[in-house]
Each structure stands twice: as C-alpha cells, then as structure tokens.
PDB file of all heavy atoms in Angstrom:
ATOM      1  N   SER N 313      -3.903  -6.400 -13.009  1.00  0.00           N
ATOM      2  CA  SER N 313      -4.212  -7.740 -13.497  1.00  0.00           C
ATOM      3  C   SER N 313      -3.772  -8.735 -12.439  1.00  0.00           C
ATOM      4  O   SER N 313      -2.905  -8.442 -11.624  1.00  0.00           O
ATOM      5  CB  SER N 313      -3.509  -8.020 -14.827  1.00  0.00           C
ATOM      6  OG  SER N 313      -2.103  -7.877 -14.688  1.00  0.00           O
ATOM      7  N   GLY N 314      -4.419  -9.890 -12.433  1.00  0.00           N
ATOM      8  CA  GLY N 314      -4.061 -10.913 -11.460  1.00  0.00           C
ATOM      9  C   GLY N 314      -4.785 -10.799 -10.142  1.00  0.00           C
ATOM     10  O   GLY N 314      -4.511 -11.578  -9.226  1.00  0.00           O
ATOM     11  N   GLY N 315      -5.685  -9.836 -10.041  1.00  0.00           N
ATOM     12  CA  GLY N 315      -6.433  -9.683  -8.802  1.00  0.00           C
ATOM     13  C   GLY N 315      -7.461  -8.582  -8.932  1.00  0.00           C
ATOM     14  O   GLY N 315      -7.300  -7.681  -9.758  1.00  0.00           O
ATOM     15  N   ALA N 316      -8.501  -8.656  -8.125  1.00  0.00           N
ATOM     16  CA  ALA N 316      -9.548  -7.634  -8.144  1.00  0.00           C
ATOM     17  C   ALA N 316      -9.103  -6.456  -7.292  1.00  0.00           C
ATOM     18  O   ALA N 316      -8.966  -6.575  -6.068  1.00  0.00           O
ATOM     19  CB  ALA N 316     -10.851  -8.209  -7.624  1.00  0.00           C
ATOM     20  N   LEU N 317      -8.890  -5.318  -7.928  1.00  0.00           N
ATOM     21  CA  LEU N 317      -8.326  -4.153  -7.249  1.00  0.00           C
ATOM     22  C   LEU N 317      -9.221  -3.629  -6.144  1.00  0.00           C
ATOM     23  O   LEU N 317      -8.746  -2.976  -5.203  1.00  0.00           O
ATOM     24  CB  LEU N 317      -8.034  -3.056  -8.280  1.00  0.00           C
ATOM     25  CG  LEU N 317      -6.873  -2.107  -7.985  1.00  0.00           C
ATOM     26  CD1 LEU N 317      -5.608  -2.866  -7.660  1.00  0.00           C
ATOM     27  CD2 LEU N 317      -6.673  -1.163  -9.144  1.00  0.00           C
ATOM     28  N   ARG N 318     -10.511  -3.914  -6.220  1.00  0.00           N
ATOM     29  CA  ARG N 318     -11.418  -3.408  -5.192  1.00  0.00           C
ATOM     30  C   ARG N 318     -11.100  -4.002  -3.825  1.00  0.00           C
ATOM     31  O   ARG N 318     -11.496  -3.443  -2.813  1.00  0.00           O
ATOM     32  CB  ARG N 318     -12.860  -3.698  -5.574  1.00  0.00           C
ATOM     33  CG  ARG N 318     -13.234  -5.171  -5.632  1.00  0.00           C
ATOM     34  CD  ARG N 318     -14.709  -5.347  -5.990  1.00  0.00           C
ATOM     35  NE  ARG N 318     -15.075  -6.757  -6.064  1.00  0.00           N
ATOM     36  CZ  ARG N 318     -14.960  -7.489  -7.171  1.00  0.00           C
ATOM     37  NH1 ARG N 318     -14.497  -6.932  -8.272  1.00  0.00           N
ATOM     38  NH2 ARG N 318     -15.306  -8.747  -7.167  1.00  0.00           N
ATOM     39  N   ALA N 319     -10.397  -5.118  -3.790  1.00  0.00           N
ATOM     40  CA  ALA N 319     -10.036  -5.755  -2.525  1.00  0.00           C
ATOM     41  C   ALA N 319      -8.741  -5.195  -1.950  1.00  0.00           C
ATOM     42  O   ALA N 319      -8.296  -5.631  -0.880  1.00  0.00           O
ATOM     43  CB  ALA N 319      -9.909  -7.256  -2.716  1.00  0.00           C
ATOM     44  N   TYR N 320      -8.144  -4.244  -2.656  1.00  0.00           N
ATOM     45  CA  TYR N 320      -6.849  -3.723  -2.265  1.00  0.00           C
ATOM     46  C   TYR N 320      -6.927  -2.242  -1.943  1.00  0.00           C
ATOM     47  O   TYR N 320      -7.698  -1.491  -2.546  1.00  0.00           O
ATOM     48  CB  TYR N 320      -5.829  -3.908  -3.393  1.00  0.00           C
ATOM     49  CG  TYR N 320      -5.455  -5.349  -3.654  1.00  0.00           C
ATOM     50  CD1 TYR N 320      -6.278  -6.164  -4.407  1.00  0.00           C
ATOM     51  CD2 TYR N 320      -4.265  -5.869  -3.161  1.00  0.00           C
ATOM     52  CE1 TYR N 320      -5.931  -7.493  -4.649  1.00  0.00           C
ATOM     53  CE2 TYR N 320      -3.908  -7.193  -3.404  1.00  0.00           C
ATOM     54  CZ  TYR N 320      -4.747  -7.989  -4.145  1.00  0.00           C
ATOM     55  OH  TYR N 320      -4.407  -9.291  -4.386  1.00  0.00           O
ATOM     56  N   GLY N 321      -6.101  -1.834  -0.980  1.00  0.00           N
ATOM     57  CA  GLY N 321      -5.821  -0.425  -0.814  1.00  0.00           C
ATOM     58  C   GLY N 321      -4.811  -0.028  -1.884  1.00  0.00           C
ATOM     59  O   GLY N 321      -3.841  -0.765  -2.130  1.00  0.00           O
ATOM     60  N   VAL N 322      -5.051   1.086  -2.530  1.00  0.00           N
ATOM     61  CA  VAL N 322      -4.166   1.528  -3.606  1.00  0.00           C
ATOM     62  C   VAL N 322      -3.605   2.904  -3.275  1.00  0.00           C
ATOM     63  O   VAL N 322      -4.336   3.806  -2.885  1.00  0.00           O
ATOM     64  CB  VAL N 322      -4.909   1.582  -4.946  1.00  0.00           C
ATOM     65  CG1 VAL N 322      -4.008   2.181  -6.035  1.00  0.00           C
ATOM     66  CG2 VAL N 322      -5.357   0.185  -5.359  1.00  0.00           C
ATOM     67  N   GLY N 323      -2.320   3.037  -3.438  1.00  0.00           N
ATOM     68  CA  GLY N 323      -1.665   4.318  -3.189  1.00  0.00           C
ATOM     69  C   GLY N 323      -0.935   4.821  -4.412  1.00  0.00           C
ATOM     70  O   GLY N 323      -0.498   4.027  -5.253  1.00  0.00           O
ATOM     71  N   TRP N 324      -0.849   6.132  -4.528  1.00  0.00           N
ATOM     72  CA  TRP N 324      -0.007   6.773  -5.527  1.00  0.00           C
ATOM     73  C   TRP N 324       1.154   7.429  -4.784  1.00  0.00           C
ATOM     74  O   TRP N 324       0.945   8.141  -3.789  1.00  0.00           O
ATOM     75  CB  TRP N 324      -0.770   7.821  -6.317  1.00  0.00           C
ATOM     76  CG  TRP N 324      -1.722   7.272  -7.328  1.00  0.00           C
ATOM     77  CD1 TRP N 324      -3.057   7.040  -7.171  1.00  0.00           C
ATOM     78  CD2 TRP N 324      -1.405   6.884  -8.672  1.00  0.00           C
ATOM     79  NE1 TRP N 324      -3.583   6.524  -8.330  1.00  0.00           N
ATOM     80  CE2 TRP N 324      -2.595   6.425  -9.268  1.00  0.00           C
ATOM     81  CE3 TRP N 324      -0.232   6.877  -9.425  1.00  0.00           C
ATOM     82  CZ2 TRP N 324      -2.646   5.963 -10.587  1.00  0.00           C
ATOM     83  CZ3 TRP N 324      -0.276   6.429 -10.742  1.00  0.00           C
ATOM     84  CH2 TRP N 324      -1.473   5.969 -11.307  1.00  0.00           C
ATOM     85  N   PHE N 325       2.345   7.191  -5.269  1.00  0.00           N
ATOM     86  CA  PHE N 325       3.555   7.773  -4.714  1.00  0.00           C
ATOM     87  C   PHE N 325       4.322   8.440  -5.848  1.00  0.00           C
ATOM     88  O   PHE N 325       4.090   8.156  -7.024  1.00  0.00           O
ATOM     89  CB  PHE N 325       4.424   6.703  -4.054  1.00  0.00           C
ATOM     90  CG  PHE N 325       3.792   6.069  -2.847  1.00  0.00           C
ATOM     91  CD1 PHE N 325       2.847   5.060  -2.982  1.00  0.00           C
ATOM     92  CD2 PHE N 325       4.121   6.492  -1.574  1.00  0.00           C
ATOM     93  CE1 PHE N 325       2.253   4.487  -1.875  1.00  0.00           C
ATOM     94  CE2 PHE N 325       3.541   5.920  -0.452  1.00  0.00           C
ATOM     95  CZ  PHE N 325       2.605   4.918  -0.607  1.00  0.00           C
ATOM     96  N   ARG N 326       5.234   9.323  -5.494  1.00  0.00           N
ATOM     97  CA  ARG N 326       6.055   9.951  -6.521  1.00  0.00           C
ATOM     98  C   ARG N 326       7.471  10.131  -6.007  1.00  0.00           C
ATOM     99  O   ARG N 326       7.708  10.230  -4.805  1.00  0.00           O
ATOM    100  CB  ARG N 326       5.471  11.298  -6.945  1.00  0.00           C
ATOM    101  CG  ARG N 326       5.445  12.360  -5.846  1.00  0.00           C
ATOM    102  CD  ARG N 326       4.693  13.584  -6.348  1.00  0.00           C
ATOM    103  NE  ARG N 326       4.648  14.620  -5.318  1.00  0.00           N
ATOM    104  CZ  ARG N 326       3.929  15.741  -5.433  1.00  0.00           C
ATOM    105  NH1 ARG N 326       3.192  15.963  -6.521  1.00  0.00           N
ATOM    106  NH2 ARG N 326       3.948  16.634  -4.469  1.00  0.00           N
ATOM    107  N   GLN N 327       8.379  10.175  -6.955  1.00  0.00           N
ATOM    108  CA  GLN N 327       9.778  10.375  -6.617  1.00  0.00           C
ATOM    109  C   GLN N 327      10.406  11.336  -7.610  1.00  0.00           C
ATOM    110  O   GLN N 327      10.466  11.051  -8.815  1.00  0.00           O
ATOM    111  CB  GLN N 327      10.547   9.053  -6.611  1.00  0.00           C
ATOM    112  CG  GLN N 327      11.974   9.185  -6.098  1.00  0.00           C
ATOM    113  CD  GLN N 327      12.611   7.850  -5.791  1.00  0.00           C
ATOM    114  OE1 GLN N 327      12.203   6.814  -6.296  1.00  0.00           O
ATOM    115  NE2 GLN N 327      13.623   7.864  -4.933  1.00  0.00           N
ATOM    116  N   ALA N 328      10.839  12.474  -7.096  1.00  0.00           N
ATOM    117  CA  ALA N 328      11.526  13.464  -7.905  1.00  0.00           C
ATOM    118  C   ALA N 328      13.028  13.183  -7.881  1.00  0.00           C
ATOM    119  O   ALA N 328      13.522  12.546  -6.944  1.00  0.00           O
ATOM    120  CB  ALA N 328      11.239  14.867  -7.373  1.00  0.00           C
ATOM    121  N   PRO N 329      13.767  13.665  -8.870  1.00  0.00           N
ATOM    122  CA  PRO N 329      15.214  13.424  -8.900  1.00  0.00           C
ATOM    123  C   PRO N 329      15.893  13.910  -7.634  1.00  0.00           C
ATOM    124  O   PRO N 329      15.674  15.040  -7.188  1.00  0.00           O
ATOM    125  CB  PRO N 329      15.665  14.236 -10.123  1.00  0.00           C
ATOM    126  CG  PRO N 329      14.470  14.290 -10.997  1.00  0.00           C
ATOM    127  CD  PRO N 329      13.297  14.378 -10.064  1.00  0.00           C
ATOM    128  N   GLY N 330      16.700  13.031  -7.031  1.00  0.00           N
ATOM    129  CA  GLY N 330      17.446  13.402  -5.841  1.00  0.00           C
ATOM    130  C   GLY N 330      16.640  13.436  -4.552  1.00  0.00           C
ATOM    131  O   GLY N 330      17.160  13.846  -3.516  1.00  0.00           O
ATOM    132  N   LYS N 331      15.380  13.020  -4.644  1.00  0.00           N
ATOM    133  CA  LYS N 331      14.521  13.059  -3.456  1.00  0.00           C
ATOM    134  C   LYS N 331      13.988  11.662  -3.135  1.00  0.00           C
ATOM    135  O   LYS N 331      13.981  10.773  -3.981  1.00  0.00           O
ATOM    136  CB  LYS N 331      13.359  14.024  -3.669  1.00  0.00           C
ATOM    137  CG  LYS N 331      13.781  15.472  -3.807  1.00  0.00           C
ATOM    138  CD  LYS N 331      12.563  16.383  -3.841  1.00  0.00           C
ATOM    139  CE  LYS N 331      12.975  17.846  -3.899  1.00  0.00           C
ATOM    140  NZ  LYS N 331      11.772  18.753  -3.907  1.00  0.00           N
ATOM    141  N   ASP N 332      13.530  11.507  -1.899  1.00  0.00           N
ATOM    142  CA  ASP N 332      12.925  10.251  -1.498  1.00  0.00           C
ATOM    143  C   ASP N 332      11.536  10.118  -2.112  1.00  0.00           C
ATOM    144  O   ASP N 332      10.882  11.113  -2.453  1.00  0.00           O
ATOM    145  CB  ASP N 332      12.811  10.189   0.028  1.00  0.00           C
ATOM    146  CG  ASP N 332      14.160  10.092   0.702  1.00  0.00           C
ATOM    147  OD1 ASP N 332      15.119   9.612   0.059  1.00  0.00           O
ATOM    148  OD2 ASP N 332      14.249  10.491   1.879  1.00  0.00           O
ATOM    149  N   ARG N 333      11.103   8.895  -2.238  1.00  0.00           N
ATOM    150  CA  ARG N 333       9.733   8.659  -2.702  1.00  0.00           C
ATOM    151  C   ARG N 333       8.764   9.159  -1.639  1.00  0.00           C
ATOM    152  O   ARG N 333       8.980   8.961  -0.440  1.00  0.00           O
ATOM    153  CB  ARG N 333       9.541   7.166  -2.960  1.00  0.00           C
ATOM    154  CG  ARG N 333       8.225   6.806  -3.605  1.00  0.00           C
ATOM    155  CD  ARG N 333       8.286   5.405  -4.195  1.00  0.00           C
ATOM    156  NE  ARG N 333       8.663   4.409  -3.207  1.00  0.00           N
ATOM    157  CZ  ARG N 333       8.990   3.161  -3.511  1.00  0.00           C
ATOM    158  NH1 ARG N 333       8.994   2.762  -4.782  1.00  0.00           N
ATOM    159  NH2 ARG N 333       9.309   2.300  -2.559  1.00  0.00           N
ATOM    160  N   GLU N 334       7.697   9.812  -2.079  1.00  0.00           N
ATOM    161  CA  GLU N 334       6.744  10.377  -1.133  1.00  0.00           C
ATOM    162  C   GLU N 334       5.314   9.969  -1.474  1.00  0.00           C
ATOM    163  O   GLU N 334       4.970   9.725  -2.637  1.00  0.00           O
ATOM    164  CB  GLU N 334       6.847  11.908  -1.098  1.00  0.00           C
ATOM    165  CG  GLU N 334       6.429  12.598  -2.377  1.00  0.00           C
ATOM    166  CD  GLU N 334       6.327  14.107  -2.226  1.00  0.00           C
ATOM    167  OE1 GLU N 334       6.390  14.618  -1.094  1.00  0.00           O
ATOM    168  OE2 GLU N 334       6.173  14.775  -3.256  1.00  0.00           O
ATOM    169  N   PHE N 335       4.504   9.929  -0.456  1.00  0.00           N
ATOM    170  CA  PHE N 335       3.089   9.608  -0.601  1.00  0.00           C
ATOM    171  C   PHE N 335       2.363  10.761  -1.290  1.00  0.00           C
ATOM    172  O   PHE N 335       2.626  11.931  -1.018  1.00  0.00           O
ATOM    173  CB  PHE N 335       2.483   9.366   0.781  1.00  0.00           C
ATOM    174  CG  PHE N 335       0.987   9.292   0.788  1.00  0.00           C
ATOM    175  CD1 PHE N 335       0.337   8.143   0.383  1.00  0.00           C
ATOM    176  CD2 PHE N 335       0.224  10.376   1.202  1.00  0.00           C
ATOM    177  CE1 PHE N 335      -1.044   8.067   0.386  1.00  0.00           C
ATOM    178  CE2 PHE N 335      -1.143  10.326   1.216  1.00  0.00           C
ATOM    179  CZ  PHE N 335      -1.786   9.166   0.807  1.00  0.00           C
ATOM    180  N   VAL N 336       1.439  10.420  -2.165  1.00  0.00           N
ATOM    181  CA  VAL N 336       0.630  11.425  -2.854  1.00  0.00           C
ATOM    182  C   VAL N 336      -0.851  11.269  -2.489  1.00  0.00           C
ATOM    183  O   VAL N 336      -1.484  12.207  -2.017  1.00  0.00           O
ATOM    184  CB  VAL N 336       0.790  11.326  -4.385  1.00  0.00           C
ATOM    185  CG1 VAL N 336      -0.127  12.327  -5.088  1.00  0.00           C
ATOM    186  CG2 VAL N 336       2.233  11.551  -4.787  1.00  0.00           C
ATOM    187  N   ALA N 337      -1.403  10.092  -2.717  1.00  0.00           N
ATOM    188  CA  ALA N 337      -2.820   9.855  -2.475  1.00  0.00           C
ATOM    189  C   ALA N 337      -3.052   8.355  -2.365  1.00  0.00           C
ATOM    190  O   ALA N 337      -2.266   7.560  -2.869  1.00  0.00           O
ATOM    191  CB  ALA N 337      -3.674  10.438  -3.593  1.00  0.00           C
ATOM    192  N   ALA N 338      -4.156   8.000  -1.713  1.00  0.00           N
ATOM    193  CA  ALA N 338      -4.483   6.582  -1.584  1.00  0.00           C
ATOM    194  C   ALA N 338      -5.949   6.436  -1.248  1.00  0.00           C
ATOM    195  O   ALA N 338      -6.573   7.363  -0.712  1.00  0.00           O
ATOM    196  CB  ALA N 338      -3.634   5.907  -0.495  1.00  0.00           C
ATOM    197  N   ASP N 339      -6.504   5.277  -1.549  1.00  0.00           N
ATOM    198  CA  ASP N 339      -7.851   5.008  -1.099  1.00  0.00           C
ATOM    199  C   ASP N 339      -8.065   3.512  -0.932  1.00  0.00           C
ATOM    200  O   ASP N 339      -7.288   2.685  -1.404  1.00  0.00           O
ATOM    201  CB  ASP N 339      -8.901   5.628  -2.041  1.00  0.00           C
ATOM    202  CG  ASP N 339      -9.205   4.790  -3.280  1.00  0.00           C
ATOM    203  OD1 ASP N 339      -8.438   3.867  -3.594  1.00  0.00           O
ATOM    204  OD2 ASP N 339     -10.225   5.076  -3.940  1.00  0.00           O
ATOM    205  N   SER N 340      -9.122   3.182  -0.215  1.00  0.00           N
ATOM    206  CA  SER N 340      -9.512   1.795  -0.018  1.00  0.00           C
ATOM    207  C   SER N 340     -10.943   1.779   0.484  1.00  0.00           C
ATOM    208  O   SER N 340     -11.479   2.801   0.912  1.00  0.00           O
ATOM    209  CB  SER N 340      -8.581   1.089   0.974  1.00  0.00           C
ATOM    210  OG  SER N 340      -8.579   1.752   2.218  1.00  0.00           O
ATOM    211  N   TRP N 341     -11.530   0.601   0.439  1.00  0.00           N
ATOM    212  CA  TRP N 341     -12.879   0.454   0.959  1.00  0.00           C
ATOM    213  C   TRP N 341     -12.834   0.623   2.470  1.00  0.00           C
ATOM    214  O   TRP N 341     -12.044  -0.010   3.134  1.00  0.00           O
ATOM    215  CB  TRP N 341     -13.423  -0.905   0.566  1.00  0.00           C
ATOM    216  CG  TRP N 341     -14.865  -1.101   0.868  1.00  0.00           C
ATOM    217  CD1 TRP N 341     -15.405  -1.805   1.885  1.00  0.00           C
ATOM    218  CD2 TRP N 341     -15.961  -0.556   0.148  1.00  0.00           C
ATOM    219  NE1 TRP N 341     -16.769  -1.752   1.843  1.00  0.00           N
ATOM    220  CE2 TRP N 341     -17.139  -0.989   0.777  1.00  0.00           C
ATOM    221  CE3 TRP N 341     -16.059   0.261  -0.993  1.00  0.00           C
ATOM    222  CZ2 TRP N 341     -18.397  -0.637   0.318  1.00  0.00           C
ATOM    223  CZ3 TRP N 341     -17.327   0.602  -1.454  1.00  0.00           C
ATOM    224  CH2 TRP N 341     -18.471   0.158  -0.798  1.00  0.00           C
ATOM    225  N   SER N 342     -13.640   1.471   2.989  1.00  0.00           N
ATOM    226  CA  SER N 342     -13.579   1.758   4.413  1.00  0.00           C
ATOM    227  C   SER N 342     -14.091   0.571   5.212  1.00  0.00           C
ATOM    228  O   SER N 342     -15.165   0.049   4.952  1.00  0.00           O
ATOM    229  CB  SER N 342     -14.431   2.982   4.746  1.00  0.00           C
ATOM    230  OG  SER N 342     -14.489   3.156   6.140  1.00  0.00           O
ATOM    231  N   ALA N 343     -13.294   0.191   6.189  1.00  0.00           N
ATOM    232  CA  ALA N 343     -13.705  -0.906   7.056  1.00  0.00           C
ATOM    233  C   ALA N 343     -14.686  -0.429   8.113  1.00  0.00           C
ATOM    234  O   ALA N 343     -15.275  -1.236   8.831  1.00  0.00           O
ATOM    235  CB  ALA N 343     -12.489  -1.518   7.740  1.00  0.00           C
ATOM    236  N   TYR N 344     -14.882   0.868   8.190  1.00  0.00           N
ATOM    237  CA  TYR N 344     -15.665   1.415   9.290  1.00  0.00           C
ATOM    238  C   TYR N 344     -16.970   2.046   8.836  1.00  0.00           C
ATOM    239  O   TYR N 344     -17.789   2.438   9.630  1.00  0.00           O
ATOM    240  CB  TYR N 344     -14.839   2.454  10.049  1.00  0.00           C
ATOM    241  CG  TYR N 344     -13.535   1.900  10.547  1.00  0.00           C
ATOM    242  CD1 TYR N 344     -12.348   2.212   9.906  1.00  0.00           C
ATOM    243  CD2 TYR N 344     -13.479   1.048  11.637  1.00  0.00           C
ATOM    244  CE1 TYR N 344     -11.144   1.695  10.337  1.00  0.00           C
ATOM    245  CE2 TYR N 344     -12.278   0.519  12.069  1.00  0.00           C
ATOM    246  CZ  TYR N 344     -11.127   0.848  11.421  1.00  0.00           C
ATOM    247  OH  TYR N 344      -9.941   0.326  11.841  1.00  0.00           O
ATOM    248  N   SER N 345     -17.131   2.151   7.521  1.00  0.00           N
ATOM    249  CA  SER N 345     -18.336   2.789   7.011  1.00  0.00           C
ATOM    250  C   SER N 345     -18.861   1.987   5.837  1.00  0.00           C
ATOM    251  O   SER N 345     -18.217   1.911   4.800  1.00  0.00           O
ATOM    252  CB  SER N 345     -18.026   4.224   6.584  1.00  0.00           C
ATOM    253  OG  SER N 345     -19.177   4.855   6.071  1.00  0.00           O
ATOM    254  N   ILE N 346     -19.998   1.372   6.005  1.00  0.00           N
ATOM    255  CA  ILE N 346     -20.542   0.519   4.961  1.00  0.00           C
ATOM    256  C   ILE N 346     -20.813   1.336   3.705  1.00  0.00           C
ATOM    257  O   ILE N 346     -21.407   2.396   3.740  1.00  0.00           O
ATOM    258  CB  ILE N 346     -21.832  -0.149   5.458  1.00  0.00           C
ATOM    259  CG1 ILE N 346     -21.519  -1.069   6.643  1.00  0.00           C
ATOM    260  CG2 ILE N 346     -22.508  -0.912   4.334  1.00  0.00           C
ATOM    261  CD1 ILE N 346     -22.733  -1.664   7.288  1.00  0.00           C
ATOM    262  N   GLY N 347     -20.366   0.823   2.601  1.00  0.00           N
ATOM    263  CA  GLY N 347     -20.628   1.485   1.324  1.00  0.00           C
ATOM    264  C   GLY N 347     -19.827   2.750   1.133  1.00  0.00           C
ATOM    265  O   GLY N 347     -20.293   3.684   0.485  1.00  0.00           O
ATOM    266  N   SER N 348     -18.635   2.798   1.681  1.00  0.00           N
ATOM    267  CA  SER N 348     -17.875   4.037   1.596  1.00  0.00           C
ATOM    268  C   SER N 348     -16.429   3.761   1.244  1.00  0.00           C
ATOM    269  O   SER N 348     -15.811   2.831   1.740  1.00  0.00           O
ATOM    270  CB  SER N 348     -17.933   4.760   2.942  1.00  0.00           C
ATOM    271  OG  SER N 348     -17.045   5.856   2.963  1.00  0.00           O
ATOM    272  N   TRP N 349     -15.882   4.585   0.359  1.00  0.00           N
ATOM    273  CA  TRP N 349     -14.463   4.577   0.061  1.00  0.00           C
ATOM    274  C   TRP N 349     -13.810   5.669   0.886  1.00  0.00           C
ATOM    275  O   TRP N 349     -14.331   6.757   1.021  1.00  0.00           O
ATOM    276  CB  TRP N 349     -14.203   4.820  -1.427  1.00  0.00           C
ATOM    277  CG  TRP N 349     -14.622   3.668  -2.279  1.00  0.00           C
ATOM    278  CD1 TRP N 349     -15.827   3.494  -2.885  1.00  0.00           C
ATOM    279  CD2 TRP N 349     -13.843   2.520  -2.599  1.00  0.00           C
ATOM    280  NE1 TRP N 349     -15.849   2.311  -3.566  1.00  0.00           N
ATOM    281  CE2 TRP N 349     -14.647   1.691  -3.414  1.00  0.00           C
ATOM    282  CE3 TRP N 349     -12.548   2.099  -2.288  1.00  0.00           C
ATOM    283  CZ2 TRP N 349     -14.204   0.470  -3.910  1.00  0.00           C
ATOM    284  CZ3 TRP N 349     -12.102   0.883  -2.787  1.00  0.00           C
ATOM    285  CH2 TRP N 349     -12.919   0.090  -3.589  1.00  0.00           C
ATOM    286  N   SER N 350     -12.664   5.335   1.415  1.00  0.00           N
ATOM    287  CA  SER N 350     -11.912   6.275   2.228  1.00  0.00           C
ATOM    288  C   SER N 350     -10.654   6.666   1.480  1.00  0.00           C
ATOM    289  O   SER N 350      -9.949   5.807   0.946  1.00  0.00           O
ATOM    290  CB  SER N 350     -11.547   5.622   3.566  1.00  0.00           C
ATOM    291  OG  SER N 350     -10.728   6.485   4.335  1.00  0.00           O
ATOM    292  N   ALA N 351     -10.373   7.954   1.410  1.00  0.00           N
ATOM    293  CA  ALA N 351      -9.201   8.429   0.673  1.00  0.00           C
ATOM    294  C   ALA N 351      -8.373   9.374   1.523  1.00  0.00           C
ATOM    295  O   ALA N 351      -8.873   9.985   2.468  1.00  0.00           O
ATOM    296  CB  ALA N 351      -9.639   9.129  -0.613  1.00  0.00           C
ATOM    297  N   SER N 352      -7.113   9.483   1.140  1.00  0.00           N
ATOM    298  CA  SER N 352      -6.210  10.402   1.835  1.00  0.00           C
ATOM    299  C   SER N 352      -5.292  11.043   0.812  1.00  0.00           C
ATOM    300  O   SER N 352      -4.924  10.426  -0.195  1.00  0.00           O
ATOM    301  CB  SER N 352      -5.386   9.644   2.882  1.00  0.00           C
ATOM    302  OG  SER N 352      -4.493  10.512   3.539  1.00  0.00           O
ATOM    303  N   TYR N 353      -4.913  12.289   1.059  1.00  0.00           N
ATOM    304  CA  TYR N 353      -4.043  13.037   0.161  1.00  0.00           C
ATOM    305  C   TYR N 353      -2.965  13.751   0.974  1.00  0.00           C
ATOM    306  O   TYR N 353      -3.220  14.217   2.087  1.00  0.00           O
ATOM    307  CB  TYR N 353      -4.828  14.096  -0.621  1.00  0.00           C
ATOM    308  CG  TYR N 353      -5.943  13.559  -1.478  1.00  0.00           C
ATOM    309  CD1 TYR N 353      -7.223  13.383  -0.966  1.00  0.00           C
ATOM    310  CD2 TYR N 353      -5.718  13.232  -2.815  1.00  0.00           C
ATOM    311  CE1 TYR N 353      -8.250  12.886  -1.757  1.00  0.00           C
ATOM    312  CE2 TYR N 353      -6.738  12.739  -3.623  1.00  0.00           C
ATOM    313  CZ  TYR N 353      -7.999  12.567  -3.079  1.00  0.00           C
ATOM    314  OH  TYR N 353      -9.003  12.074  -3.866  1.00  0.00           O
ATOM    315  N   THR N 354      -1.793  13.844   0.384  1.00  0.00           N
ATOM    316  CA  THR N 354      -0.792  14.675   1.021  1.00  0.00           C
ATOM    317  C   THR N 354      -1.203  16.141   0.890  1.00  0.00           C
ATOM    318  O   THR N 354      -1.921  16.508  -0.065  1.00  0.00           O
ATOM    319  CB  THR N 354       0.592  14.442   0.396  1.00  0.00           C
ATOM    320  OG1 THR N 354       1.592  15.025   1.212  1.00  0.00           O
ATOM    321  CG2 THR N 354       0.670  14.987  -1.023  1.00  0.00           C
TER     322      THR N 354
END
C-alpha cells in the first residue's frame, strides 16, 4: 500500500534462528528487455 509495486524491485528474504538474514528470491521489471520481468533465486 502507498505505492504501485510494479515500479519496485521486490525481494524475499528469510532469517532462521541464530542465523543472518539471507536472500531467497527477487524480481523486477527488466531495464534491458522490453516487456520482461527479471527474477533471481538463491
């Protein structure tokens, strides 16, 4: 809320007990490919 999420890169992170927060997955509108979403996963 408060903004259109399509304009943002969004990431999912997780933190297990006693461990550092770690990257899980993320995506955003690709700046290099018209009409394409770019995603990454650990």
Side-chain angles (χ1 to χ4, degrees):
S313 58
L317 210 52
R318 65 179 179 272
Y320 291 80
V322 174
W324 285 95
F325 295 81
R326 64 187 180 187
Q327 187 167 22
K331 294 187 177 181
D332 292 335
R333 187 163 56 191
E334 66 171 350
F335 169 79
V336 177
D339 82 345
S340 58
W341 188 257
S342 173
Y344 304 104
S345 179
I346 296 174
S348 171
W349 290 92
S350 176
S352 179
Y353 300 88
T354 193

